[in-house]
Amino acid sequence: MEGPSLVIASEEFKPFLKRKIVAASGTAKLPFEKITGTSLVKTRSWGKHFLLFFTKTQVRIHFLMFGSYRINNPRENREPKLELDYGNDTIYFYSCAIKEMPKGFEKEYDFSVDLMAEEWDAKKALQAVRGKPNAEVADLLMDQTIFSGLGNIMKNETLFRLLMHPKVRVKDLTPARQRALVKAAADYAQDFYKWKKAGALKRNWKIMRKRICPRCEGPVTKAPTGKLQRISHYCERCQVKA
DNA sequence: ATAAATGTTAAGAA
DNA sequence: CTTCTTAACATTTA
């Protein structure tokens, strides 16, 4: 799950804030007794981290590749890691990493690197980008300390939109292209959010998991790139190394 | 139906 | 002391 999806999760959880949790349970290693009988005070995300603040404790959820949450619609034959029972409503979290956090832990987060946060600081991101001249842009975009919340879908779509090759190094980009990279990442995050909310995310993929480039109709290259070796989908003809 | 994929972290190796 | 490699986890989609 990428950052914008968690912003949507926070919105979906709003109706549950301050309501009494009748029972909390699940397979995660958590102090459920500190949650049962209390309520959710607020939620927020930092990149791909989903932060839940309860009255007496606080937890961080990471959905990784396959995690999900459901409201009043449990999965069959699957034990939730965390279940919040509100009486008439129930929230379920599946296959995610959940960890109890110390009070005040959110102060350790730098929200200015979160693409979806109000605090997002493009200038700071640009400086961080320029501080890694030898990094390939595919790796750079996935760097959660610079573009927190950006995942592999956003990486591939952002680079295609820029017509930028995933293997270009920062030092081979003009200052204007470096600036464009930062802007495109933030812009794509907003589009991702909008499309995901409208249930039209995949419909708007241009290069991700495509076989044909929508621009030149040539073949799409699918290969691991950079140190991270995450799969990049790109057009060798349209996406330039500068 | 087999494999790849919206991701991270811990442990051990170099 | 870094930096790299591998494995582990877990589920849907093509």
Side-chain angles (χ1 to χ4, degrees):
Chain A
M1 233 185 249
E2 302 190 24
S5 302
L6 299 195
V7 174
I8 294 169
S10 262
E11 291 172 9
E12 293 188 348
F13 281 34
K14 276 233 174 77
F16 294 93
L17 298 184
K18 313 244 162 65
R19 276 177 59 190
K20 186 176 176 180
I21 297 164
V22 178
S25 60
T27 61
K29 210 182 91 191
L30 287 176
F32 297 110
E33 74 284 355
K34 279 203 235 170
I35 301 174
T36 296
T38 72
S39 66
L40 192 52
V41 180
K42 73 166 186 175
T43 69
R44 119 156 259 196
S45 58
W46 176 85
K48 300 168 192 171
H49 295 200
F50 192 41
L51 318 178
L52 301 182
F53 299 88
F54 296 100
T55 314
K56 293 184 192 166
T57 186
Q58 45 285 322
V59 304
R60 182 193 76 193
I61 299 184
H62 203 304
F63 292 95
L64 300 161
M65 294 255 217
F66 317 124
S68 61
Y69 65 88
R70 296 277 193 99
I71 297 171
N72 295 333
N73 181 23
R75 293 181 177 283
E76 291 192 22
N77 309 320
R78 228 171 275 293
E79 291 296 313
K81 294 274 181 173
L82 173 62
E83 176 175 337
L84 300 176
D85 182 359
Y86 283 90
N88 293 327
D89 299 307
T90 311
I91 303 176
Y92 308 86
F93 295 92
Y94 298 96
S95 61
C96 46
I98 313 182
K99 196 179 163 200
E100 184 184 32
M101 303 299 283
K103 194 162 176 54
F105 77 103
E106 71 277 12
K107 294 184 181 65
E108 306 294 313
Y109 284 107
D110 178 359
F111 287 96
S112 74
V113 303
D114 182 344
L115 283 166
M116 294 302 290
E118 284 193 20
E119 297 95 322
W120 164 248
D121 186 340
K123 276 188 193 144
K124 190 175 170 181
L126 183 57
Q127 280 186 341
V129 165
R130 290 177 174 160
K132 294 192 179 267
N134 291 308
E136 296 185 9
V137 292
D139 278 345
L140 195 74
L141 285 176
M142 298 285 276
D143 186 332
Q144 299 300 299
T145 66
I146 304 177
F147 298 104
S148 170
L150 198 152
N152 209 33
I153 297 173
M154 285 167 67
K155 176 192 83 179
N156 287 311
E157 292 295 321
T158 297
L159 290 176
F160 180 69
R161 188 178 269 186
L162 286 163
L163 299 180
M164 188 181 288
H165 197 287
K167 294 184 183 177
V168 198
R169 290 177 196 278
V170 172
K171 64 183 176 192
D172 295 325
L173 295 172
T174 62
R177 280 291 264 178
Q178 293 168 347
R179 230 177 300 121
L181 178 67
V182 172
K183 180 163 194 319
D187 288 350
Y188 196 83
Q190 293 304 324
D191 288 338
F192 185 116
Y193 168 81
K194 196 177 64 196
W195 288 328
K196 171 94 184 184
K197 224 167 150 167
L201 188 58
K202 288 185 189 173
R203 208 181 310 150
N204 283 286
W205 287 353
K206 299 279 188 278
I207 197 82
M208 188 75 194
R209 300 195 199 172
K210 298 288 181 189
R211 280 182 35 250
I212 306 291
C213 169
R215 189 163 174 274
C216 73
E217 303 197 329
V220 170
T221 304
K222 179 180 155 188
T225 56
K227 290 185 182 174
L228 291 175
Q229 289 286 293
R230 292 294 302 275
I231 301 285
S232 287
H233 301 245
Y234 59 100
C235 175
E236 203 69 67
R237 257 189 263 177
C238 297
Q239 294 178 243
V240 299
K241 293 189 173 168

